[in-house]
Protein backbone atom coordinates (compact mmCIF):
# COMPACT_ATOMS: atom_id res chain seq x y z
CA UNK A 1 0.00 0.00 0.00
CA UNK A 2 1.33 3.44 -0.97
CA UNK A 3 2.36 5.85 1.74
CA UNK A 4 -0.31 8.62 1.94
CA UNK A 5 2.30 11.29 2.66
CA UNK A 6 4.38 10.30 -0.36
CA UNK A 7 1.30 10.22 -2.63
CA UNK A 8 0.32 13.67 -1.45
CA UNK A 9 3.81 15.08 -1.99
CA UNK A 10 4.11 13.60 -5.49
CA UNK A 11 0.68 14.91 -6.49
CA UNK A 12 1.49 18.35 -5.08
CA UNK A 13 4.70 18.40 -7.11
CA UNK A 14 2.76 17.50 -10.28
CA UNK A 15 0.30 20.34 -9.66
CA UNK A 16 3.14 22.80 -9.10
CA UNK A 17 4.78 21.82 -12.39
CA UNK A 18 1.71 21.77 -14.63
CA UNK A 19 2.14 23.50 -17.97
CA UNK A 20 0.08 24.18 -21.08
CA UNK A 21 0.44 20.67 -22.53
CA UNK A 22 -2.42 18.17 -22.41
CA UNK A 23 0.02 15.46 -21.33
CA UNK A 24 0.89 17.43 -18.21
CA UNK A 25 -2.75 17.62 -17.09
CA UNK A 26 -3.56 14.06 -18.12
CA UNK A 27 -0.57 12.68 -16.22
CA UNK A 28 -1.68 14.43 -13.02
CA UNK A 29 -5.29 13.28 -13.56
CA UNK A 30 -4.17 9.67 -14.09
CA UNK A 31 -2.15 9.88 -10.89
CA UNK A 32 -5.13 11.19 -8.91
CA UNK A 33 -7.35 8.39 -10.21
CA UNK A 34 -4.68 5.79 -9.54
CA UNK A 35 -4.91 6.75 -5.87
CA UNK A 36 -8.64 7.38 -5.86
CA UNK A 37 -8.92 5.83 -2.41
CA UNK A 38 -7.24 9.04 -1.17
CA UNK A 39 -9.51 11.30 -3.24
CA UNK A 40 -10.45 13.64 -0.37
CA UNK A 41 -6.81 14.22 0.51
CA UNK A 42 -5.86 14.79 -3.13
CA UNK A 43 -8.78 17.17 -3.60
CA UNK A 44 -7.52 19.19 -0.63
CA UNK A 45 -4.11 19.34 -2.36
CA UNK A 46 -5.76 20.93 -5.40
CA UNK A 47 -7.42 23.61 -3.26
CA UNK A 48 -4.22 24.31 -1.34
CA UNK A 49 -2.13 24.72 -4.49
CA UNK A 50 -4.77 26.98 -6.05
CA UNK A 51 -4.51 29.31 -3.07
CA UNK A 52 -0.72 29.26 -2.71
CA UNK A 53 0.79 29.39 -6.20
CA UNK A 54 1.29 32.04 -8.88
CA UNK A 55 -1.60 33.18 -11.06
CA UNK A 56 -0.04 31.40 -14.05
CA UNK A 57 0.05 28.12 -12.15
CA UNK A 58 -3.53 28.61 -10.95
CA UNK A 59 -4.63 28.95 -14.57
CA UNK A 60 -2.91 25.65 -15.43
CA UNK A 61 -4.57 23.94 -12.46
CA UNK A 62 -7.94 25.27 -13.65
CA UNK A 63 -7.44 23.57 -17.01
CA UNK A 64 -6.30 20.42 -15.18
CA UNK A 65 -9.55 20.35 -13.19
CA UNK A 66 -11.54 19.95 -16.42
CA UNK A 67 -9.32 17.00 -17.44
CA UNK A 68 -9.69 15.42 -14.01
CA UNK A 69 -13.48 15.69 -13.97
CA UNK A 70 -13.73 14.36 -17.53
CA UNK A 71 -11.49 11.40 -16.75
CA UNK A 72 -13.25 10.71 -13.44
CA UNK A 73 -16.60 10.57 -15.25
CA UNK A 74 -15.26 8.15 -17.85
CA UNK A 75 -13.83 5.90 -15.14
CA UNK A 76 -17.04 6.24 -13.11
CA UNK A 77 -15.29 7.61 -10.04
CA UNK A 78 -17.62 10.50 -9.34
CA UNK A 79 -16.30 11.52 -5.93
CA UNK A 80 -13.79 13.88 -7.56
CA UNK A 81 -16.65 15.41 -9.56
CA UNK A 82 -18.90 15.83 -6.51
CA UNK A 83 -16.14 17.49 -4.48
CA UNK A 84 -15.38 19.86 -7.34
CA UNK A 85 -19.07 20.73 -7.66
CA UNK A 86 -19.15 21.46 -3.95
CA UNK A 87 -16.04 23.68 -3.98
CA UNK A 88 -16.31 25.31 -7.40
CA UNK A 89 -16.86 28.80 -5.92
CA UNK A 90 -13.73 28.44 -3.82
CA UNK A 91 -11.84 27.34 -6.94
CA UNK A 92 -13.05 30.33 -8.95
CA UNK A 93 -12.19 32.73 -6.12
CA UNK A 94 -8.65 31.35 -6.04
CA UNK A 95 -8.05 31.43 -9.81
CA UNK A 96 -9.64 34.86 -10.40
CA UNK A 97 -9.77 36.65 -7.01
CA UNK A 98 -12.36 39.35 -6.43
CA UNK A 99 -9.59 41.93 -5.69
CA UNK A 100 -8.66 42.01 -9.38
CA UNK A 101 -5.25 40.37 -8.90
CA UNK A 102 -6.23 37.50 -11.20
CA UNK A 103 -7.74 39.60 -14.00
CA UNK A 104 -5.74 37.70 -16.61
CA UNK A 105 -7.38 34.45 -15.47
CA UNK A 106 -11.02 35.50 -15.89
CA UNK A 107 -11.08 34.22 -19.47
CA UNK A 108 -9.54 30.93 -18.36
CA UNK A 109 -12.23 30.49 -15.71
CA UNK A 110 -14.99 31.18 -18.23
CA UNK A 111 -13.61 28.65 -20.71
CA UNK A 112 -13.25 25.91 -18.13
CA UNK A 113 -16.70 26.60 -16.69
CA UNK A 114 -18.14 26.27 -20.19
CA UNK A 115 -16.30 22.97 -20.61
CA UNK A 116 -17.53 21.66 -17.25
CA UNK A 117 -21.09 22.61 -18.17
CA UNK A 118 -20.76 20.86 -21.52
CA UNK A 119 -19.54 17.73 -19.71
CA UNK A 120 -22.53 18.01 -17.30
CA UNK A 121 -20.22 18.51 -14.33
CA UNK A 122 -21.88 21.87 -13.61
CA UNK A 123 -25.50 22.89 -14.10
CA UNK A 124 -26.22 25.83 -16.44
CA UNK A 125 -27.75 27.73 -13.49
CA UNK A 126 -24.54 27.34 -11.50
CA UNK A 127 -22.42 28.64 -14.38
CA UNK A 128 -24.76 31.62 -14.86
CA UNK A 129 -24.50 32.47 -11.18
CA UNK A 130 -20.70 32.34 -11.28
CA UNK A 131 -20.67 34.34 -14.51
CA UNK A 132 -22.54 37.15 -12.72
CA UNK A 133 -19.73 37.33 -10.18
CA UNK A 134 -17.09 37.28 -12.92
CA UNK A 135 -18.81 40.21 -14.65
CA UNK A 136 -18.47 42.22 -11.43
CA UNK A 137 -14.77 41.33 -11.32
CA UNK A 138 -14.40 42.60 -14.87
CA UNK A 139 -15.90 45.91 -13.74
CA UNK A 140 -13.60 45.99 -10.71
CA UNK A 141 -10.58 45.43 -12.94
CA UNK A 142 -11.63 48.28 -15.24
CA UNK A 143 -12.11 50.58 -12.25
CA UNK A 144 -8.68 49.64 -10.95
CA UNK A 145 -7.04 50.29 -14.33
CA UNK A 146 -8.83 53.65 -14.52
CA UNK A 147 -7.61 54.62 -11.06
CA UNK A 148 -4.03 53.76 -12.04
CA UNK A 149 -4.12 55.63 -15.35
CA UNK A 150 -2.07 58.85 -15.64
CA UNK A 151 -4.05 62.07 -15.15
CA UNK A 152 -3.58 65.10 -17.39
CA UNK A 153 -2.70 68.46 -15.77
CA UNK A 154 -6.09 69.91 -16.78
CA UNK A 155 -8.06 67.04 -15.31
CA UNK A 156 -10.46 67.78 -12.46
CA UNK A 157 -9.78 64.39 -10.93
CA UNK A 158 -7.11 63.86 -8.27
CA UNK A 159 -3.98 61.85 -9.11
CA UNK A 160 -4.06 58.09 -8.42
CA UNK A 161 -2.36 58.49 -5.05
CA UNK A 162 -5.25 60.67 -3.88
CA UNK A 163 -8.07 58.59 -5.36
CA UNK A 164 -10.29 56.79 -2.92
CA UNK A 165 -11.50 53.52 -4.39
CA UNK A 166 -12.65 50.22 -3.02
CA UNK A 167 -10.76 48.42 -5.77
CA UNK A 168 -7.43 46.89 -4.85
CA UNK A 169 -4.76 47.52 -7.50
CA UNK A 170 -4.05 44.36 -9.47
CA UNK A 171 -0.85 42.65 -8.38
CA UNK A 172 1.94 43.04 -10.91
CA UNK A 173 3.24 40.10 -12.87
CA UNK A 174 7.02 40.16 -13.13
CA UNK A 175 8.72 39.83 -16.51
CA UNK A 176 9.40 36.12 -16.04
CA UNK A 177 5.73 35.39 -15.28
CA UNK A 178 4.57 37.38 -18.32
CA UNK A 179 7.00 35.53 -20.58
CA UNK A 180 5.92 32.20 -19.09
CA UNK A 181 2.26 33.02 -19.67
CA UNK A 182 2.91 34.03 -23.29
CA UNK A 183 4.85 30.80 -23.91
CA UNK A 184 2.10 28.65 -22.37
CA UNK A 185 -0.59 30.40 -24.41
CA UNK A 186 1.55 29.87 -27.51
CA UNK A 187 1.72 26.15 -26.66
CA UNK A 188 -2.07 25.96 -26.34
CA UNK A 189 -2.54 27.60 -29.74
CA UNK A 190 0.02 25.20 -31.24
CA UNK A 191 -1.94 22.28 -29.79
CA UNK A 192 -5.11 23.79 -31.25
CA UNK A 193 -3.60 23.98 -34.74
CA UNK A 194 -2.44 20.36 -34.52
CA UNK A 195 -5.90 19.23 -33.42
CA UNK A 196 -7.46 20.75 -36.56
CA UNK A 197 -6.06 17.81 -38.55
CA UNK A 198 -8.20 15.48 -36.47
CA UNK A 199 -11.43 17.38 -37.22
CA UNK A 200 -13.56 15.94 -40.05
CA UNK A 201 -15.60 17.76 -42.68
CA UNK A 202 -18.46 18.25 -40.24
CA UNK A 203 -16.16 19.37 -37.45
CA UNK A 204 -16.82 23.10 -37.57
CA UNK A 205 -18.50 23.03 -34.17
CA UNK A 206 -15.58 21.12 -32.65
CA UNK A 207 -13.11 23.61 -34.11
CA UNK A 208 -15.04 26.55 -32.63
CA UNK A 209 -15.11 24.86 -29.23
CA UNK A 210 -11.35 24.21 -29.31
CA UNK A 211 -10.71 27.78 -30.44
CA UNK A 212 -12.81 29.17 -27.59
CA UNK A 213 -10.98 26.96 -25.09
CA UNK A 214 -7.53 28.00 -26.28
CA UNK A 215 -6.00 30.53 -23.90
CA UNK A 216 -4.71 33.86 -25.15
CA UNK A 217 -3.05 37.00 -23.90
CA UNK A 218 -5.85 39.49 -23.45
CA UNK A 219 -5.97 43.25 -23.00
CA UNK A 220 -5.81 42.83 -19.22
CA UNK A 221 -2.41 41.10 -19.46
CA UNK A 222 -0.91 43.85 -21.61
CA UNK A 223 -2.63 46.53 -19.52
CA UNK A 224 -1.00 45.26 -16.33
CA UNK A 225 2.41 45.07 -18.03
CA UNK A 226 2.00 48.56 -19.50
CA UNK A 227 1.00 50.09 -16.16
CA UNK A 228 3.94 48.40 -14.46
CA UNK A 229 6.34 49.83 -17.05
CA UNK A 230 4.80 53.31 -16.71
CA UNK A 231 5.06 53.26 -12.92
CA UNK A 232 8.73 52.27 -13.14
CA UNK A 233 9.44 55.14 -15.55
CA UNK A 234 7.68 57.61 -13.24
CA UNK A 235 9.60 56.25 -10.23
CA UNK A 236 12.86 56.68 -12.16
CA UNK A 237 12.06 60.29 -13.00
CA UNK A 238 11.24 61.06 -9.36
CA UNK A 239 14.53 59.59 -8.21
Amino acid sequence: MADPFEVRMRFTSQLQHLNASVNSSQKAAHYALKYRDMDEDLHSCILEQLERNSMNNRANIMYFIEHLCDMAQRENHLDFVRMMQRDILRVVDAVAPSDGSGAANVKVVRRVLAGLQQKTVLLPETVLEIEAGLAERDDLTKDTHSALSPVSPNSQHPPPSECHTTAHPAKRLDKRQIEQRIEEDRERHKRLRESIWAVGEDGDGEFERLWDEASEIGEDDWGVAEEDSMERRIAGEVE
Side-chain angles (χ1 to χ4, degrees):
M1 183 177 177
D3 176 57
F5 179 76
E6 182 180 352
V7 171
R8 183 183 177 92
M9 292 301 294
R10 286 181 178 273
F11 185 58
T12 295
S13 177
Q14 288 182 347
L15 293 176
Q16 291 172 341
H17 293 90
L18 284 172
N19 55 48
S21 73
V22 173
N23 288 340
S24 173
S25 290
Q26 287 181 338
K27 181 180 177 181
H30 276 299
Y31 188 86
L33 286 164
K34 178 181 178 181
Y35 296 102
R36 63 190 68 188
D37 55 320
M38 304 180 197
D39 51 16
E40 288 189 18
D41 200 26
L42 296 181
H43 178 76
S44 71
C45 284
I46 296 172
L47 297 179
E48 287 175 9
Q49 294 309 306
L50 278 173
E51 294 169 349
R52 293 180 180 178
N53 280 289
S54 71
M55 286 299 163
N56 286 351
N57 184 254
R58 296 183 198 194
N60 287 331
I61 294 177
M62 191 73 190
Y63 282 115
F64 154 76
I65 286 172
E66 184 177 358
H67 284 283
L68 175 60
C69 288
D70 185 37
M71 202 174 292
Q73 284 180 320
R74 283 190 272 117
E75 296 194 15
N76 199 32
H77 184 74
L78 301 181
D79 286 346
F80 276 119
V81 176
R82 294 190 189 100
M83 288 185 285
M84 199 54 64
Q85 290 169 334
R86 180 193 69 201
D87 293 325
I88 190 62
L89 290 178
R90 182 175 173 183
V91 168
V92 171
D93 284 342
V95 180
S98 58
D99 63 3
S101 59
N105 287 343
V106 172
K107 290 181 181 179
V108 173
V109 171
R110 285 191 169 121
R111 286 167 185 146
V112 173
L113 289 178
L116 292 176
Q117 179 182 333
Q118 185 180 38
K119 294 175 175 65
T120 68
V121 173
L122 296 176
L123 294 172
E125 307 87 79
T126 302
V127 174
L128 283 174
E129 182 180 342
I130 298 173
E131 276 285 352
L134 290 175
E136 292 177 1
R137 291 172 200 195
D138 277 344
D139 293 338
L140 174 60
T141 302
K142 291 172 185 175
D143 290 343
T144 302
H145 286 174
S146 176
L148 292 173
S149 298
V151 180
S152 66
N154 298 325
S155 172
Q156 298 299 314
H157 298 287
S161 60
E162 297 176 17
C163 286
H164 296 282
T165 176
T166 56
H168 298 284
K171 294 178 183 176
R172 304 299 180 201
L173 292 174
D174 61 32
K175 182 179 179 182
R176 183 187 61 81
Q177 289 177 317
I178 293 173
E179 290 175 347
Q180 178 188 349
R181 184 60 175 267
I182 292 173
E183 185 59 34
E184 289 177 346
D185 289 338
R186 190 175 292 143
E187 172 64 25
R188 289 192 179 96
H189 281 288
K190 177 184 175 184
R191 175 161 48 86
L192 170 64
R193 290 194 299 271
E194 292 172 350
S195 71
I196 294 174
W197 293 99
V199 178
E201 292 181 2
D202 299 324
D204 290 342
E206 178 70 7
F207 170 78
E208 290 173 3
R209 183 184 70 79
L210 289 170
W211 181 263
D212 288 340
E213 288 179 359
S215 178
E216 62 186 62
I217 291 293
E219 293 181 2
D220 290 333
D221 304 82
W222 296 117
V224 169
E226 233 176 84
E227 289 164 7
D228 191 32
S229 175
M230 185 181 300
E231 287 180 354
R232 289 185 182 184
R233 286 201 303 270
I234 293 174
E237 291 174 2
V238 171
E239 292 175 359

